[in-house]
Amino acid sequence: KLKDFVTWRINWDDKAANIVDIVDELNIGLQSVVFIDDNQFERARVKESLPEVQVIDLPKDKMLYKKTLLELRCFDKLELSEEDKKKTELFHSEKRRKELKTKVGSLDEWLNSINIKVVCNKLIDHDIKRVVQLFNKTNQMNLSTRRITESELLEWLAIENRKLWTYRVSDKFGDSGLVGIASIEVLGNECHIIDFILSCRVFCRKIENIMVVKILEYCRSKNINKLLADYKKTKKNKPCFDFLSNSGFKQDKNIFSFNTEIKFETPKFIEIINK
């Protein structure tokens, strides 16, 4: 049914351009796109112009289409998180957000109008699978792009001076689910941010600021006066670099530092719920 599709392009335009347009609307990466078309010319066009897109080569015999599609492994998942199950609903919510954004003048006006809530929590058993998924799938807002298994994460967190928080985001359009992770390691009077991860679907809403605020609250409660973040550059994680550069952190090459006694910008339009 139409409600099962989050967007569509039904036209005679260039299909590569349509894909780029859809990716921009849904705020996903080209590497998340699978393109299926029975026209060899169209497949070649997308392959050449958008190499990150997975293009499925269909056989000449149409009777083999079903077999080919069933043999695809790109849609397989070992496990489904709650966020995976609600993915269509999440995309519909994001579409409504963007529609409102075009009607409201400034970004601040728009953010003030959508009643954002962020729930911050320590890692609980129910969330482990989703957290591991974020570790291994998030590329843009990702400080270190560390990849990790469930057992490795639990082993890492077993050391007392390490902490991890999760962040759930919702607004008047719906629940975006668990979209952020921040982990730290305390060494003497310094707090090192090890992981700083946020799903791209909640970019530009100041959620990153709330994540830092939570870390700073912990530092102050332990009388730690220096916060450090070691940025590991990759091809895709420049948004993380840009956030740190523009948020009051001091930069020394790829090391960012922040004096915990200094006030950090806390967005007033976001309701923070600590658990």
Side-chain angles (χ1 to χ4, degrees):
K1 296 181 180 180
L2 191 62
K3 67 180 182 181
D4 296 314
F5 294 85
V6 293
T7 192
W8 50 85
R9 299 294 184 276
I10 304 171
N11 54 41
W12 294 105
D13 295 346
D14 174 34
K15 292 188 179 180
N18 275 334
I19 291 171
V20 171
D21 197 34
I22 288 172
V23 161
D24 181 60
E25 178 186 335
L26 299 182
N27 198 18
I28 60 175
L30 285 169
Q31 73 277 2
S32 299
V33 176
V34 179
F35 180 70
I36 300 173
D37 197 293
D38 63 351
N39 187 305
Q40 187 175 0
F41 171 83
E42 299 288 2
R43 296 200 299 269
R45 161 68 178 150
V46 172
K47 274 185 182 180
E48 184 174 334
S49 56
L50 304 173
E52 290 182 83
V53 171
Q54 182 168 347
V55 178
I56 306 303
D57 285 318
L58 293 172
K60 291 182 180 179
D61 185 352
K62 291 181 172 58
M63 295 300 292
L64 296 175
Y65 280 7
K66 180 180 178 180
K67 178 176 181 292
T68 301
L69 296 176
L70 289 173
E71 288 175 349
L72 292 179
R73 300 278 71 90
C74 53
F75 301 112
D76 291 355
K77 284 197 172 187
L78 291 174
E79 293 173 303
L80 287 175
S81 67
E82 289 301 314
E83 283 75 12
D84 290 327
K85 295 174 185 176
K86 296 188 291 185
K87 190 62 70 72
T88 302
E89 178 188 332
L90 294 173
F91 277 125
H92 279 303
S93 297
E94 183 61 23
K95 195 170 185 177
R96 292 194 295 272
R97 288 185 193 97
K98 288 197 172 184
E99 287 170 355
L100 176 61
K101 192 175 180 180
T102 61
K103 297 176 184 177
V104 178
S106 70
L107 176 61
D108 286 342
E109 286 177 306
W110 175 67
L111 291 173
N112 271 292
S113 70
I114 63 175
N115 306 325
I116 302 173
K117 294 182 180 179
V118 177
V119 177
C120 178
N121 199 2
K122 62 182 180 181
L123 181 63
I124 58 176
D125 291 344
H126 176 75
D127 292 334
I128 291 175
K129 287 181 173 56
R130 171 58 177 165
V131 166
V132 170
Q133 186 181 57
L134 282 172
F135 264 102
N136 295 306
K137 288 181 64 178
T138 310
N139 296 304
Q140 296 182 63
M141 184 62 70
N142 194 327
L143 180 69
S144 65
T145 321
R146 178 165 68 138
R147 307 311 189 190
I148 201 167
T149 65
E150 185 176 323
S151 59
E152 287 170 341
L153 175 60
L154 293 175
E155 183 180 348
W156 186 83
L157 282 172
I159 297 176
E160 190 176 352
N161 63 330
R162 294 169 177 171
K163 303 289 180 184
L164 183 144
W165 295 281
T166 62
Y167 301 85
R168 292 181 175 274
V169 176
S170 63
D171 56 35
K172 71 178 186 180
F173 296 106
D175 187 354
S176 296
L178 199 165
V179 291
I181 308 163
S183 75
I184 62 166
E185 182 172 25
V186 176
L187 299 174
N189 199 35
E190 294 181 346
C191 177
H192 295 253
I193 302 176
I194 305 302
D195 303 290
F196 194 86
I197 299 170
L198 185 66
S199 170
C200 60
R201 69 171 180 257
V202 293
F203 279 8
C204 301
R205 297 181 212 174
K206 305 283 188 177
I207 309 302
E208 305 94 319
N209 293 60
I210 300 302
M211 294 168 66
V212 174
V213 166
K214 177 63 183 179
I215 296 171
L216 288 172
E217 284 178 357
Y218 177 81
C219 289
R220 290 164 186 155
S221 72
K222 302 295 182 182
N223 296 316
I224 298 168
N225 59 27
K226 192 171 186 179
L227 179 63
L228 294 165
D230 185 359
Y231 169 74
K232 302 285 196 308
K233 183 179 178 181
T234 70
K235 290 181 179 179
K236 297 181 179 179
N237 71 345
K238 190 173 183 294
C240 192
F241 179 88
D242 292 340
F243 167 70
L244 293 170
S245 299
N246 299 318
S247 300
F249 280 79
K250 291 183 178 179
Q251 181 184 353
D252 182 9
K253 296 182 180 178
N254 285 337
I255 304 295
F256 290 85
S257 62
F258 192 87
N259 184 336
T260 63
E261 296 177 359
I262 297 173
K263 187 177 179 180
F264 192 82
E265 181 191 355
T266 306
K268 295 180 180 179
F269 52 80
I270 297 178
E271 180 183 351
I272 307 171
I273 302 169
N274 290 304
K275 287 192 172 182

